[in-house]
Structures are given as structure tokens and as C-alpha cells.
Amino acid sequence: MCKISAIQMCSSSKVDENIKAADKLIKEAAQNDAKLVVLPEMFAIMGIKPTDKIKEREEYNSGKIQDFLSKAAMTNDIWIVAGTIPIACRIHDKIRAACIVYDNHGNTVARYDKTHLFDATLSATESYRESDTTDAGNGHPVVVDTPVGKLGLAVCFDIRFPELFLQLYKKGAEIIALPSAFTVPTGTAHWEILTRSCAIQNFCYLIGACQSGKHDSGRETFGHSMIIDPWGKVLANHPKPGNGIIYADIDLEYLTKVRSAIPLTRLI
């Protein structure tokens, strides 16, 4: 068994401030023997305006945020799933929400760009148009070999689209990292149901690392970071808002036992 961790944050609009907070939490996770840590969606910036993240965008494999992550992974001898980072794309006034994986030597080993963007009107006073500032990824499933198992990548709103997770399963994913920034209304109603259902439908571990609390813009995120086992059991949960870490052990022998007991024949 290997220990993994999910970091929960209430990120601000200041990149340097968020990097400092993430650095402290990554170090703590490593000191507690975690071999892999997952950061939340938009861990480096939750802007006052949706366009603020565009000002902080970086070229892939270059920039302050990515340099920090590479150094943190190497210094702490830990794999990092870097939530999402604003990465430059072909459209000058948009970014890609890139989930980048670093190995314990600081090397970039995988990248997945968020595919399903959150365009929603939840009430007369709460609406979101992520597609105004973010270019959608191509939807290709990404699975990477890690010391804790075969890791599939998805981001937040992707959880509502089970076909992506079917493809991750078919590519051999045993664990799925899900950096997120759920709203309070959708999180209250759906977060636990969706994440546990995903773990059960694909008999995989699921690591949900969340934004949580009230941000500089006034936006509130739901939090409740969770680690769920292949049977749908919640192994760890961070019910309080704000920064923190949760841990769980990944037991691939148990995963194999669950998958053997109820084989999934996927016809699609």
C-alpha cells in the first residue's frame, strides 16, 4: 500500500501567496509519507475577475508556477498532480486549464487540459461562463504510471460526463485525480453523489482535491475534499472550509479483488 494525499485550499487572487501556501502543504504531505499529492483546481489563482488568470498564464514548461512545482516535487521527493495551471493557448485572450503531473524528480510526465467547461446559471445572482476565458481541451483521456498505480486525470465539471471516465477505465486507470472548485449549491447537492458514483462505476480510487471557502471575488466554493475507494467508501473527507490535507492508503490488491468479484464488461 502507498499513502496519497489531497490538498484543499482557499486560493486568493495573488499567485505568490498561493504558491507559498501550496509549498507549505506539499511539504507537510511529504513529511507524512505521502508518495503523491493532488492540488485543487486553480490552486495558483482564484482571480477577482475571470480574466485575471489570463494575465498569469504561462507557456508550457516555463514560468513561475511551473518552476515552483518542479522544484517542490524534487525537493520533497513526491509526485504532484498540479490541480490546474493557466497555460497559454492558440487563442490570445484565453488559457488552457492544464492539469500537469510532476514526478518526484521534478519532471513533467503528463498533462490533461480540462475538457468540459462550466457554463451555468444557478440563480439570478450566480452564473458562470468559463468558456469566455478558457479554451476547452481535446478530451483525449490521459493515464500515467505512478508509484501508487495507474493514474487518470480529470477536472471538476468533467465529473458530470461519464464517457470520459469510461475511457480512463479502458486505458487502465486504477486511480483518478479530480482537482475541483465546486460551487456551494452544486457541491451541496451533487459533489459526494457524483464522486462516489464515479468510483463505483469504474471500480477505482478517486482523489477529489477542492477549493473551499470565500475567495477575493466573493465567490464561495464548496470544499469537502474526498478520497474514495473502489467500493464507494469515503476513506477521507475534509468537511471544514479553508486549507488542509487529507490522506488515505491506495491498496491495489483490494482494487483487483473488487474488479474480479464484479467484472465490468464495457460494450461502448
Side-chain angles (χ1 to χ4, degrees):
M1 291 194 293
C2 288
K3 183 184 287 187
I4 56 90
S5 57
I7 284 176
Q8 181 166 289
M9 294 177 65
C10 183
S11 296
S12 74
S13 57
K14 301 176 178 64
V15 172
D16 288 343
E17 187 176 279
N18 297 324
I19 284 177
K20 184 177 180 180
D23 188 39
K24 180 181 177 182
L25 292 162
I26 291 167
K27 286 178 180 176
E28 183 179 337
Q31 288 168 356
N32 282 294
D33 298 322
K35 301 302 180 187
L36 179 143
V37 61
V38 182
L39 289 163
E41 184 178 19
M42 297 183 286
F43 85 92
I45 179 168
M46 288 282 285
I48 295 173
K49 297 180 295 183
T51 53
D52 287 350
K53 61 181 176 286
I54 298 172
K55 301 172 187 175
E56 303 295 341
R57 65 186 169 191
E58 299 181 349
E59 295 296 327
Y60 185 41
N61 281 326
S62 175
K64 175 168 60 178
I65 301 168
Q66 293 169 89
D67 288 348
F68 152 68
L69 291 161
S70 176
K71 183 179 178 180
M74 181 172 54
T75 302
N76 294 287
D77 191 26
I78 193 170
W79 283 59
I80 299 175
V81 181
T84 58
I85 302 167
I87 296 295
C89 65
R90 68 188 189 281
I91 304 172
H92 78 279
D93 59 350
K94 293 188 179 184
I95 55 96
R96 284 287 183 96
C99 180
I100 301 174
V101 181
Y102 295 83
D103 70 13
N104 61 321
H105 303 294
N107 301 312
T108 301
V109 295
R111 171 182 168 179
Y112 166 75
D113 293 350
K114 185 178 182 179
T115 301
H116 301 97
L117 304 179
F118 189 52
D119 291 355
T121 301
L122 304 180
S123 70
T125 58
E126 188 174 5
S127 64
Y128 302 89
R129 288 283 303 174
E130 190 176 16
S131 63
D132 286 349
T133 54
T134 303
D135 183 37
N138 58 25
H140 293 165
V142 176
V143 176
V144 59
D145 286 315
T146 79
V148 301
K150 293 183 181 296
L151 180 74
L153 304 178
V155 176
C156 200
F157 196 51
D158 285 332
I159 192 70
R160 296 187 184 273
F161 299 87
E163 61 272 17
L164 172 62
F165 297 88
L166 169 59
Q167 294 305 315
L168 292 174
Y169 172 85
K170 286 185 171 183
K171 285 179 70 71
E174 298 165 319
I175 309 156
I176 293 171
L178 188 74
S180 297
F182 258 64
T183 68
V184 172
T186 58
T188 302
H190 301 148
W191 170 248
E192 182 173 345
I193 295 169
L194 286 169
T195 51
R196 292 181 69 192
S197 295
C198 181
I200 294 166
Q201 287 172 342
N202 298 287
F203 286 151
C204 64
Y205 286 90
L206 190 140
I207 311 168
C210 301
Q211 291 284 350
S212 177
K214 192 165 187 176
H215 304 276
D216 292 349
S217 65
R219 174 181 175 178
E220 288 189 67
T221 47
F222 179 66
H224 290 75
S225 297
M226 288 187 180
I227 302 172
I228 301 166
D229 81 3
W231 200 247
K233 180 182 178 181
V234 178
L235 300 177
N237 177 23
H238 197 291
K240 296 181 180 179
N243 294 4
I245 312 176
I246 55 174
Y247 301 91
D249 289 323
I250 298 295
D251 185 348
L252 296 183
E253 290 186 5
Y254 173 68
L255 181 143
T256 299
K257 181 179 179 181
V258 169
R259 288 184 172 183
S260 298
I262 308 178
L264 298 178
T265 303
R266 313 304 278 263
L267 301 177
I268 297 175

